[in-house]
Structures are given as structure tokens and as C-alpha cells.
Amino acid sequence: PGGEGDADKEGNVGQEEAACADFALWPSVDGGVTCSPCRALVLTEPYGGRCDRYCESFGHVCLGAAEEQEEDCNVKATYRCDESIPATSDMLCSCGLPPATSAPAPAPPT
């Protein structure tokens, strides 16, 4: 009974996933449109239409990618983070801070 697809619609929204920089620090936000938590409407061109490249551009990791309906936060189609979103000038990217590591992992002893 019941599928798994809609598990994140309600319930635990905003617990863990809201760890990201202030929207003022996000580059290339289209028209200042931001959606909570940690999702914004951003320009595709500088990033090849890929949210993973967008999020990495300011030290974040991609949590989700989508095409918006009409310059807003409503999702028309969802994509993988490493997938290029075709034929659109902007995209909805969800970005989060990478898992807490204060320094790069030390090289294993030789």
C-alpha cells in the first residue's frame, strides 16, 4: 500500500536540508526568485544548465534540480543534479552545504 514517491512533500521539510548559505550569497539568481529551503531560480547559461555545476560554483553540493513552470517555484519537471536541463534560460536548483569537514581529508599514511 502506498508508493514512495511523495515522501518528501510534507512531514520532515526543513529539518536537515535547510543547511545552506544565505540567499544573498547565491550567484546568478534570476529575478531574485528564491524558494525555501535552499532552492532558487537561477540562470542556466553560465553552468551549462546543470545544478551540480551551479551549486559547486559557490562551495555547495546539489540536492535537487528542476525546471520551473513560469519564473516561479512551481516545478514543471525534475532532473538529476548532473543532468543538463534543456531549452530553458533558468532552472530551480537546490543546494546545500557539503557534509561538515573543516579540512580536506588527510592523505592515507604510506
Side-chain angles (χ1 to χ4, degrees), residues 89-104:
S89 62
D90 44 28
M91 57 190 173
L92 288 168
C93 291
S94 301
C95 303
L97 293 169
T101 49
S102 52

Side-chain angles (χ1 to χ4, degrees), residues 39-84:
R39 172 183 273 187
L41 184 65
V42 303
L43 301 175
T44 52
E45 192 194 350
Y47 310 100
R50 287 176 47 171
C51 284
D52 58 349
R53 291 184 184 158
Y54 171 76
C55 296
E56 287 163 11
S57 76
F58 63 113
H60 283 49
V61 293
C62 178
L63 303 175
E67 184 182 351
E68 94 294 348
Q69 287 184 346
E70 200 170 321
E71 310 300 319
D72 56 22
C73 294
N74 296 316
V75 173
K76 180 162 84 176
T78 55
Y79 291 85
R80 294 191 322 269
C81 284
D82 62 355
E83 207 171 0
S84 180

Side-chain angles (χ1 to χ4, degrees), residues 20-44:
C20 62
D22 189 277
F23 283 129
L25 303 173
W26 290 39
S28 305
V29 175
D30 187 14
V33 177
T34 57
C35 323
S36 59
C38 298
R39 172 183 273 187
L41 184 65
V42 303
L43 301 175
T44 52

